[in-house]
Amino acid sequence: MQTSWQHTTVLLGEAVDALVTDPDATYVDATFGRGGHARLILSKLSTRGRLVAFDKDLDAVAEAATITDFRFSIRHEGFRHLGELPPGSVAGVMLDLGVSSPQIDNPERGFSFRFDGPLDMRMDITRGESVAEWLATAEVQQIAEVIRDYGEERFALPVAKAIVARRQERGPVSTTTELAELVAGAVKTREPGQNPATRTFQALRIFINAELEELQQALEACLVVLRPGGRLVVISFHSLEDRIVKQFIAKHSRDEFDRRAPFAAPKIMALKALDRIRPSQAEVAGNPRARSAIMRIAERVAS
Ligand SMILES: C[S@@+](CC[C@H](N)C(=O)[O-])C[C@H]1O[C@@H](n2cnc3c(N)ncnc32)[C@H](O)[C@@H]1O
């Protein structure tokens, strides 16, 4: 297995400063990746502090296994499982969403239209269907819906029709290059500086990994596991993710009144929004993958 692909951590200092408020407490890094945030978090903790990490990716878990520190543990599972930690036991949860650079840059993983490889895109290759397997049987309407909803692609229907027509004529699409070529033939307008397959690849990746559902579940779980004063720090890389995070924080930052019971006590807010941070120009210049990042920080309020 090649392990030379690197990941440059986004908003490293800003995220960890926002997350760690008590060196003696337990933290969760829900997206270990290559451990950029995790290592800095560990450096801020005392011997009583703990860091529990999650990642769906086997290579990320293999990297985590090289950290020999009794305060650290890694779980090979989706971050929606963070709700299994004891209620109120955690002082901060960090979510650095999406894929890591090693996942994108390894052709074998099938995430990128820039390299020829099997059309897989699963973060966890030990479970579930690959994109190629799903596209081999899905209906035109299902494919179009995914590409429209998760890729915001105007040409979702023509792309879906091209995928199914090709399946009927020559068998299912099985590589990233084949899919990128099919999409390029169906997308009729070009966005400057963007490959026509960008939106379709993003959509299929989000769908096959159930990224948005799992994010929603993890956010709900944070309300349970975070102790009062605990921090939620989320870095998103596209508008669909950021909208979920923003709406979640907004929804739980208001006292909720039940209109049908106007004299009942309001449901007290569970979160306080603290900040929204974008990477500096200098960071984006050094790491172009940081350009779309938005970090939101909220604090668990005693309720
Ligand atoms: C952007 S990278 C994180 C990089 C990390 N913060 C670092 O500094 O090295 C995102 C990681 O989260 C993992 N991931 C994405 N969605 C996940 C989920 N639902 N559950 C667990 N891990 C997930 C991916 O496999 C990937 O390794």
Side-chain angles (χ1 to χ4, degrees):
M1 184 202 319
Q2 171 145 10
T3 53
S4 61
W5 291 290
Q6 302 293 319
H7 179 83
T8 305
T9 299
V10 174
L11 288 164
L12 174 59
E14 294 90 334
V16 176
D17 283 349
L19 185 78
V20 179
T21 53
D22 174 2
D24 297 335
T26 298
Y27 292 85
V28 172
D29 179 353
T31 49
F32 178 83
R34 285 300 177 275
H37 288 111
R39 287 185 178 83
L40 188 59
I41 295 166
L42 280 170
S43 77
K44 308 270 181 194
L45 301 184
S46 73
T47 51
R48 285 201 290 274
R50 296 289 180 271
L51 177 61
V52 180
F54 289 79
D55 209 295
K56 282 182 166 182
D57 187 286
L58 279 180
D59 292 345
V61 173
E63 172 73 23
T66 67
I67 300 182
T68 49
D69 183 323
F70 71 94
R71 300 169 304 167
F72 175 75
S73 58
I74 178 81
R75 301 182 178 205
H76 177 223
E77 53 189 6
F79 51 53
R80 66 193 158 85
H81 290 282
L82 69 88
E84 291 160 17
L85 297 170
S89 65
V90 171
V93 177
M94 161 95 228
L95 290 140
D96 178 16
L97 299 170
V99 275
S100 65
S101 302
Q103 287 169 328
I104 300 171
D105 295 340
N106 180 353
E108 286 302 311
R109 304 299 301 274
F111 281 102
S112 176
F113 45 76
R114 286 185 289 120
F115 315 108
D116 190 29
L119 189 56
D120 192 327
M121 296 202 212
R122 282 171 302 163
M123 289 183 191
D124 185 350
I125 56 166
T126 66
R127 281 169 244 224
E129 263 184 335
S130 68
V131 168
E133 284 165 341
W134 184 69
L135 288 178
T137 57
E139 307 281 338
V140 171
Q141 283 307 332
Q142 284 176 296
I143 300 173
E145 224 168 85
V146 164
I147 297 174
R148 188 175 45 242
D149 293 353
Y150 298 143
E152 298 175 318
E153 171 60 69
R154 285 168 52 207
F155 297 96
L157 189 58
V159 170
K161 284 183 173 165
I163 290 169
V164 172
R166 134 91 208 218
R167 188 168 88 195
Q168 285 158 354
E169 286 156 22
R170 287 185 288 142
V173 193
S174 62
T175 70
T176 50
T177 310
E178 285 167 1
L179 179 62
E181 283 167 6
L182 271 180
V183 177
V187 169
K188 296 299 175 209
T189 53
R190 293 286 181 265
E191 292 175 53
Q194 193 180 79
N195 186 297
T198 304
R199 291 172 178 278
T200 298
F201 271 65
Q202 173 190 297
L204 291 169
R205 188 202 93 200
I206 291 174
F207 169 73
I208 216 70
N209 293 294
E211 290 181 32
L212 303 184
E213 293 82 355
E214 191 142 350
L215 172 59
Q216 191 71 49
Q217 288 171 319
L219 292 173
E220 299 287 346
C222 286
L223 292 182
V224 179
V225 301
L226 280 173
R227 70 185 195 185
R231 296 281 174 87
L232 171 63
V233 177
V234 189
I235 304 175
S236 312
F237 290 86
H238 57 75
S239 56
L240 297 173
E241 282 168 352
D242 185 54
R243 198 175 307 149
I244 290 175
V245 179
K246 182 177 157 184
Q247 288 177 354
F248 179 82
I249 294 175
K251 175 176 173 212
H252 291 285
S253 305
R254 298 186 281 268
D255 291 349
E256 277 183 30
F257 292 89
D258 184 347
R259 284 166 207 262
R260 290 159 305 176
F263 299 109
K267 214 173 129 209
I268 300 302
M269 67 185 204
L271 291 174
K272 183 165 90 186
L274 294 186
D275 214 346
R276 171 188 179 279
I277 294 176
R278 303 287 313 257
S280 65
Q281 283 181 353
E283 178 168 358
V284 174
N287 178 17
R289 283 179 183 167
R291 69 184 173 279
S292 49
I294 296 181
M295 178 166 77
R296 293 189 187 270
I297 305 160
E299 190 172 280
R300 182 76 171 95
V301 178
S303 54

